[in-house]
Structure formats: C-alpha cells, structure tokens
Amino acid sequence: MTPAVDQAPSVILGLCSYTHDSAAALLVDGQLVGFVEEERLSQQKHTKDYPRHAVEWLLGEAGLSATDVDVVAYNFRPARYLLESPAALRLALSPTTRDLAVPRARGFAKVAMRTQLRVRDIGRRFPAARVSPVLHHRAHQLTAFAASGWNESAVLVVDSLGERQTTTIAHGHDTLRPRTRTLEAINDPASLGYVYGAVTEHLGWRRGDEEGTVMALAALGDPARFRDLFARAVRVTPTGFAVNPLYFPPRVLTSGYPRTTRRFIDATCPERHPSEPLRNVHRDLAAALQERTEQVMLHLARRARTVTGSRRLCVGGGVATNCVSIGRIIEAGVFDEVFVPPAPGDAGTAIGAAIAVHHDSLAPQPMSGVTRACYLGPSFQGTSLDLTPWPDLQEKALGAEAAEFLAEQIASGLVVGLFQGRVEAGPRALGNRSILASPREPGVIERLNATVKFREPFRPFAPMVLAERASEFFTLGQQAPYMSMASGVTDKARELVPAIVHANGTSRLQTVTHAQNPFMHEVLSAFARRTGVPVLINTSLNVKGKPICGTPEMALDCLANSGLDALLLEGRWITK
C-alpha cells in the first residue's frame, strides 16, 4: 500500500508588508490569481501598512476567505537579521566606524525581533495557515526569473537591504517550476541602493521615493566634478564593490543616524532643503552618482555573466528601476537579452515569496500566470459610475470606436487620462492607468510637468511605441514591455518626436504588442495613421506625491484636480 502523501499547499498568499510598498499576491494550485500594491487601493503612496485592501480583493477574486489560505509567504526571514549583530561589532576595530558598532548591532537585533512579531501578527490573521518567511533576495530573484519565461538565465538583484544582503548573483532554471541558486552575495554595508538613497536625501528629495528625480537631474550635470570622489566612495572589487565609510557611514537601523559623513559634505555641498533652488553643484553631484551607479551595475552584470555562463540576464531589486543603468548593460552587449520584471522592487517580492513556498512544498502543479504578465490587479469593467461627487464632470459612452476616438483627440492636442482593464503591477503605467499625450504637440512637456503632474520641469516623459516599429525610433535592439530600460534614439526620433528625448539622449520606452495590450496597440496604430508617428507620451495616471490611480474614484479625482483635458474610463468619455 502506498503511504499517504501530505497534500501540498494549494492556496498561497504572498505578502510584502510593514516596511514599504505593501502588496499581496495569490497563488491557487500554482496559478497566479493576481497581484496588487496596496497603495493603488488605499491611496497612501508607498504605504507600509498591512495590505488589507489587496488581500480582500485577491481572496474575493478567487472566491476564498482567510480560513482557506494554506500558507502565507512573507518576504523577510527574521533570524537572518540576527547574523549581522555579531558581525557589526567588527566596526569597533576601526576609528572611523567605532562609534557605530554597538548601535548597528543593537539595531539589527531589534529589527529581527520586530520582524518576528510581524510574522506572528500575520499568523493571527490567518489562523488555519502556516506563515513561511522567505529570504528577501530569493523572493526578488524568483519574481524576476519567473516573469521572464526563460528556462535558464543569470539573475542579478541589487537593492538597499534584504536582511543582510544587498546584492546577489544567482542562476535561474526551469520555466514551469522556477528555482534560483545564489552563487555570490554581497552584504551590507556595501549597498548601492543605500548610497543612491543617501545622496537623494542629501539633494533634498525623499529617499525611497524620488531616486528617479535624481536620475533625471543627472542628465543636466557634469559627472567629472565629483568623479574621483565617487570612485573612492564606491570602490569596484574583482567580485563586486565596497562602500567607503569615510563618505557613507555603515547603516544603523535606527532613526537619527546620518547617511553621509562630514567629509562627504565638505567635498560636495551642504544638504539641500527641498525649497532651495537647484544649483550646478547639485546637478553635478547627481551626475557623478548616476555615472558611478551605471559603472558598478555594468561591472556586476559582467560578473554575473562570468559566474553563471548564461547569455541572458534577469535584474531585480530597487536599483533595477534605474532604467539608464539597465540600458547601459544592454548597450554593452554582455548578454544577448536583458529582462526586468514589471515590479522589480519590494512590492514584487510578494509574488516571489509565494513562488518560493510553492517550489519548496514540492507541489505537483507547474507555475502559471506569471510569465510576461503585468496587468494583474483589479478591474472595474462593468461597474456603475456615480459622478455626483464631481458635479462639474460630464460623460458620454463610447462604443467600438473608442480607440479611434481616443487617437483623434490626442492627435488634436488633448492630454487624456486612460483607465481600462486590470491595474498594472509595478511603478510604471503601462497603458491601463496612463496619461497620454501627443509627442508632436508644441510645449507638451512643459504643460505636463506644470499643470498635469505638478513636478520638476527637468523631468522627462516616457514614450510608448508600436513594437513592430520601435527600431525606427529607438536603438535598444530588444523589447522593453515594462518601461524599465533607457534606449538611445535614432535621427528620425530626434527629428519627429524630440519631446520624448531626454537631455542625455535617451528615452525610457515601452514597446507595445497586440498580444500584450490590444487596446493600446489599436490606439497607437490609429495615431500613426493620423500623424505618421506610432509613438505616444505615456506617464502614470496620478499627480506628484500620489500613487497611480487604482480605482475609478481616484481617476476622477485626478481629472477634477489636475490639468487633464479628459478621461477615458472603461469606455466612458469624461470631460470637465
């Protein structure tokens, strides 16, 4: 008689919670039901709260309740923090870091205990479930690799901190049952994400939120001014990199400890207050930081190529959102193809944690629903719309001609919000929660920044392009479906659509296929028939400081309180 085999978990809830960018993902029998960031439903950008709205939607989508969850996969392992406490005491051996040794050791121990309490809190919410903590970088690796759909690749994860790790190189295998094996790891305090965040804060923007603003500013500066400083501050090693504590002190996981030293400040500039005007020194500092980031990322990519032998690369972690660095790796030709998942940051680890538990349980079902999937959140098709709270808005229903109508309105110069289908995963709007404009319209960038997005005038706007015509305008040489890669541009792009070319000569493009987004492919095709250009400006449906609009109410507020001309919301044309 065959012995009984324990039933593998069939309902796995993946969570990113209590740190930042809370999110949830749900696997049922290996099928990804959905994924959504909590901010898209709660309206609290980068929220660290337990993702209540996200979990409620996922369980409702699957027709389940909290008692049906077999395992909750959490994206951190508490015990791994404890390993850093004794290691931190080594800082006492150097006069530069001596004063930080005990606070650092104490901070990591405190976070370990706090994370364990969070795991227990999760357990109380799901009394029938087992809570399974997953190593943070493993969750990042699996998010990136599983989404690629490749059967094998190198996997590079670079972020600020996951337990102790800041950078890992792994080898991924198997499309149907994704797994990764870490080959090399770099531990804190060597952290590229930490350095970028520290300089972002020094320049007057919010760390963990506005690093993209610094990346945009970098194009306006001269890196030569601080090039030598960053070469000393972030030193490349044969297997990775190291951070010099003379410029960036080791992290202490307690508030009140500075992230830059007096030597760094004396060599660069005083900390900028957000209300201060930008000066050349700020632009040059951003440029040198960005240049060094690109150099280190390219070095890490080459290391990944060496240790894995793979000709494909997946990149994850918060630093993977640095699209210019990703573009540099592609341009260098180290790999035949590079892939960044739609949600490479911490939110996406909710998916990777669930995949890890599914794999470790030896579940018989293969993974599905993850590969090349980005529209994973709630849809509001068919829901009734009440405009009573917005008495100045008017609507009319559109039929099958919606794509042609939208293309015509954009071609005539309107700036239009688009809300359709399921919410995108990740930090970029990909045609379901977007603001669209014609790149041929004079002054469109200035108008978008000043009256629609309410953000810095030097911020660029990304283009979306028909995938089959991308090579006419962009030099990237591969698909970029998730707006995660900066590409060089052709002479044709400079001539016909200069508005989408940033000061550094690149564009963070999104290539659109009919299979990926049929409606947007139709809109781009219709726009091309009218203008000869298969390119639109695409930015997220929100204003600065607010999350991407995940609900109709959020979208209507965005229309009512910004310079948008109109909103196409699930087939309804809404105007002021």
Side-chain angles (χ1 to χ4, degrees):
M1 183 176 178
T2 304
V5 178
D6 291 339
Q7 178 65 41
S10 59
V11 180
I12 303 172
L13 179 68
L15 291 184
C16 171
S17 183
Y18 305 118
T19 52
H20 58 88
D21 296 314
S22 290
L26 187 65
L27 289 181
V28 177
D29 291 334
Q31 168 75 36
L32 182 64
V33 172
F35 160 85
V36 67
E37 288 119 309
E38 179 71 3
E39 66 168 29
R40 307 291 160 85
L41 305 176
S42 72
Q43 305 189 43
Q44 301 300 313
K45 192 173 184 181
H46 297 305
T47 181
K48 65 179 181 179
D49 293 344
Y50 171 77
R52 176 176 61 85
H53 297 88
V55 171
E56 287 177 356
W57 170 72
L58 285 165
L59 293 176
E61 187 78 357
L64 301 172
S65 67
T67 57
D68 295 313
V69 176
D70 297 304
V71 183
V72 180
Y74 185 54
N75 65 334
F76 288 100
R77 290 184 65 179
R80 285 299 185 100
Y81 285 100
L82 286 173
L83 297 176
E84 187 56 37
S85 289
L89 297 178
R90 292 177 301 184
L91 299 177
L93 300 176
S94 168
T96 303
T97 57
R98 184 177 298 147
D99 292 344
L100 297 177
V102 172
R104 179 175 166 91
R106 187 185 298 121
F108 272 83
K110 184 176 180 180
V111 170
M113 291 184 287
R114 185 186 305 152
T115 306
Q116 184 59 45
L117 291 175
R118 290 167 176 168
V119 169
R120 291 176 184 170
D121 176 67
I122 292 170
R124 285 190 288 269
R125 296 174 185 270
F126 300 91
R130 169 173 59 90
V131 181
S132 180
V134 174
L135 194 66
H136 189 70
H137 268 236
R138 186 187 179 203
H140 270 307
Q141 291 166 5
L142 286 168
T143 301
F145 178 67
S148 74
W150 294 336
N151 201 49
E152 174 275 332
S153 81
V155 185
L156 172 65
V157 173
V158 188
D159 67 358
S160 180
L161 181 68
E163 294 98 12
R164 302 176 70 200
Q165 296 174 329
T166 68
T167 307
T168 53
I169 295 172
H171 206 172
H173 292 278
D174 201 337
T175 305
L176 297 179
R177 292 176 173 81
R179 67 186 188 278
T180 58
R181 181 168 64 94
T182 299
L183 303 177
E184 293 187 348
I186 298 172
N187 288 344
D188 199 65
S191 170
L192 202 55
Y194 179 84
V195 168
Y196 212 104
V199 179
T200 295
E201 198 168 60
H202 187 79
L203 287 171
W205 285 288
R206 292 187 300 275
R207 171 173 49 85
D209 180 25
E210 297 183 293
E211 281 83 352
T213 303
V214 175
M215 182 176 65
L217 180 66
L220 307 181
D222 180 4
R225 183 172 181 176
F226 299 116
R227 181 174 290 145
D228 291 344
L229 182 150
F230 275 98
R232 295 190 300 271
V234 185
R235 181 173 55 86
V236 169
T237 68
T239 58
F241 67 98
V243 173
N244 190 334
L246 292 173
Y247 299 96
F248 299 98
R251 147 184 10 230
V252 176
L253 295 177
T254 307
S255 60
Y257 286 85
R259 292 180 172 235
T260 56
T261 66
R262 172 50 57 185
R263 177 177 292 200
F264 177 85
I265 295 169
D266 290 344
T268 57
C269 61
E271 185 172 334
R272 173 182 168 268
H273 189 273
S275 63
E276 285 183 55
L278 284 169
R279 296 184 286 119
N280 285 338
V281 67
H282 304 131
R283 299 180 183 92
D284 294 346
L285 185 58
L289 168 70
Q290 179 62 31
E291 180 184 76
R292 193 56 173 166
T293 300
E294 294 167 25
Q295 291 168 350
V296 175
M297 286 292 284
L298 182 55
H299 175 65
L300 292 169
R302 289 191 167 116
R303 182 65 186 170
R305 175 78 174 87
T306 298
V307 299
T308 65
S310 179
R311 299 202 61 82
R312 286 172 162 173
L313 174 69
C314 296
V315 190
V319 183
T321 60
N322 191 293
C323 62
V324 180
S325 292
I326 302 300
R328 292 284 183 263
I329 293 171
I330 295 170
E331 287 175 355
V334 182
F335 293 90
D336 293 342
E337 192 172 357
V338 177
F339 177 82
V340 179
D346 274 14
T349 59
I351 299 174
I355 294 171
V357 169
H358 180 76
H359 176 271
D360 293 348
S361 69
L362 303 179
Q365 307 94 343
M367 284 291 310
S368 60
V370 179
T371 297
R372 305 286 169 155
C374 64
Y375 306 109
L376 297 170
S379 170
F380 297 86
Q381 291 172 318
T383 57
S384 60
L385 195 63
D386 179 12
L387 292 183
T388 304
W390 303 273
D392 295 332
L393 300 185
Q394 303 173 6
E395 68 166 316
K396 71 173 182 178
L398 301 180
E401 79 286 1
E404 290 284 348
F405 179 84
L406 178 58
E408 179 66 34
Q409 299 305 310
I410 297 171
S412 71
L414 296 191
V415 175
V416 181
L418 176 61
F419 185 108
Q420 60 145 355
R422 297 183 70 164
V423 177
E424 298 97 332
R428 318 291 186 208
L430 303 172
N432 280 16
R433 302 291 186 275
S434 290
I435 292 173
L436 305 175
S438 169
R440 307 274 285 160
E441 188 71 15
V444 65
I445 297 300
E446 292 77 12
R447 181 188 169 193
L448 282 167
N449 274 325
T451 68
V452 178
K453 299 288 283 189
F454 306 113
R455 66 183 200 180
E456 297 83 0
F458 58 82
R459 297 276 297 275
F461 285 93
M464 62 193 328
V465 59
L466 288 173
E468 60 268 29
R469 295 188 60 185
S471 61
E472 297 176 33
F473 297 86
F474 305 101
T475 62
L476 191 66
Q478 69 161 72
Q479 295 296 297
Y482 309 128
M483 204 184 284
S484 52
M485 302 159 179
S487 170
V489 299
T490 65
D491 291 340
K492 186 174 184 177
R494 293 182 186 278
E495 177 188 353
L496 296 180
V497 285
I500 55 90
V501 183
H502 192 33
N504 60 5
T506 70
S507 292
R508 188 185 67 201
L509 78 157
Q510 178 195 359
T511 54
V512 180
T513 65
H514 186 270
Q516 176 191 348
N517 194 321
F519 182 78
M520 274 314 311
H521 191 273
E522 189 177 348
V523 173
L524 285 163
S525 299
F527 186 79
R529 286 194 294 273
R530 288 165 171 78
T531 65
V533 174
V535 180
L536 286 173
I537 289 174
N538 172 27
T539 186
S540 54
L541 184 59
N542 69 328
V543 297
K544 185 181 178 183
K546 297 287 186 180
I548 294 175
C549 298
T551 67
E553 293 76 19
M554 293 168 70
L556 291 166
D557 273 338
C558 186
L559 171 63
N561 296 299
S562 74
L564 280 177
D565 294 313
L567 172 69
L568 179 57
L569 193 158
E570 298 297 1
R572 302 174 180 95
W573 183 250
I574 304 171
T575 55
K576 302 176 186 179

